Amino acid sequence: MSERKATNITWHEGEVTRAERERKHGHRGVTLWFTGLSASGKSTIARRLERLLTDRGAFCYVLDGDNIRHGLNANLGFSPEDRAENIRRIGEVAKLFTDAGAITMTAFISPYRADRDRVRAIMAPGDFVEIYVQAPLELCEQRDPKGLYRRARAGEIRDFTGISAPYEPPENPEIVLDTATHDPDGCARIVIDWLVQRGVLPS
Ligand code: ADP
């Protein structure tokens, strides 16, 4: 689905550069790619981070699972092929947001290592920050904020990550957040400290 069909196309650089946009925003553009089981806390932490960063005057945006599946990826399901295409498109969108200078946060299970690595590969070095949101499956199942685990266990949802579909944890994520031991605010602050240390955000 991702093969190139258009020919005779060229990439246009604008008159305004990314560096100029970043100076205006007062920070670098970056993609914070949250990955983890359903209910591990990706969305909650990304939203908290969006609040804290916005309060500091940063330009940020969250790309969130269900919202993207309503529109851009409405024609995709949960087979491995469709999951790969889902992540590929989100990666391309995140790349554009990052070029716009946004602190771009993506909150998708993104269970396959190869799919995440493919996104890393299309981004410039340093633009892709993989954040593994870690929580034991049992805890995610206890939380079950949308009742999805219950439905998956009852056989009502096929290909559910952690139950009937695999999750491949990152091997070298830039950041690991353990949501069994850190609350959402604590997790968001770990990310902010990391961004400041790496010079993405001013201190
Ligand atoms: P995901 O986006 O990974 O599917 P959500 O953020 O939608 O997960 O749901 C996580 C649930 O777990 C929420 O109900 C949230 O309130 C709860 N939760 C409890 N502790 C934490 C934590 N430390 N970090 C994030 N979420 C937490």
Side-chain angles (χ1 to χ4, degrees):
M1 209 185 284
S2 63
E3 82 275 22
R4 190 182 297 278
K5 292 191 175 153
T7 54
N8 300 321
I9 49 170
T10 41
W11 183 266
H12 283 272
E13 287 299 339
E15 191 177 321
V16 180
T17 63
R18 172 171 168 182
E20 193 178 340
R21 285 191 286 277
E22 290 180 334
R23 272 198 300 280
K24 194 164 153 236
H25 301 317
H27 57 77
R28 274 188 36 215
V30 74
T31 289
L32 305 179
W33 190 280
F34 292 88
T35 172
L37 294 172
S38 179
S40 58
K42 301 176 296 295
S43 249
T44 304
I45 296 166
R47 296 290 174 195
R48 193 84 271 280
L49 202 51
E50 185 183 31
R51 176 79 269 154
L52 295 173
L53 290 170
T54 302
D55 288 350
R56 290 169 71 120
F59 169 42
C60 46
Y61 194 76
V62 178
L63 298 168
D64 203 329
D66 284 356
N67 297 357
I68 297 279
R69 282 187 178 275
H70 274 294
L72 179 67
N73 291 352
N75 64 331
L76 300 176
F78 291 89
S79 68
E81 298 75 32
D82 279 9
R83 284 184 194 257
E85 178 60 11
N86 182 47
I87 296 308
R88 188 190 72 81
R89 289 185 200 171
I90 292 158
E92 293 288 350
V93 173
K95 186 179 172 183
L96 293 173
F97 270 86
T98 302
D99 186 53
I103 297 177
T104 314
M105 291 167 266
T106 68
F108 302 89
I109 298 173
S110 43
Y112 296 112
R113 206 172 284 138
D115 295 344
R116 297 190 302 266
D117 287 348
R118 228 171 278 130
V119 178
R120 185 187 287 276
I122 64 163
M123 301 245 184
D127 278 3
F128 182 85
V129 177
E130 193 172 26
I131 303 179
Y132 179 26
V133 182
Q134 200 176 31
L137 177 65
E138 308 76 66
L139 180 58
C140 295
E141 250 190 291
Q142 269 169 35
R143 290 177 179 161
D144 208 9
K146 300 179 204 152
L148 296 175
Y149 282 100
R150 190 186 49 71
R151 291 180 51 212
R153 288 285 186 202
E156 291 167 23
I157 307 176
R158 288 176 50 205
D159 301 328
F160 195 77
T161 303
I163 306 292
S164 46
Y167 178 78
E168 299 172 357
E171 278 168 347
N172 287 301
E174 277 78 1
I175 304 173
V176 179
L177 301 174
D178 182 347
T179 69
T181 54
H182 294 77
D183 66 10
D185 219 57
C187 292
R189 285 177 195 287
I190 289 171
V191 178
I192 290 179
D193 288 348
W194 191 94
L195 293 171
V196 170
Q197 268 167 24
R198 304 298 160 118
V200 175
L201 265 184
S203 48

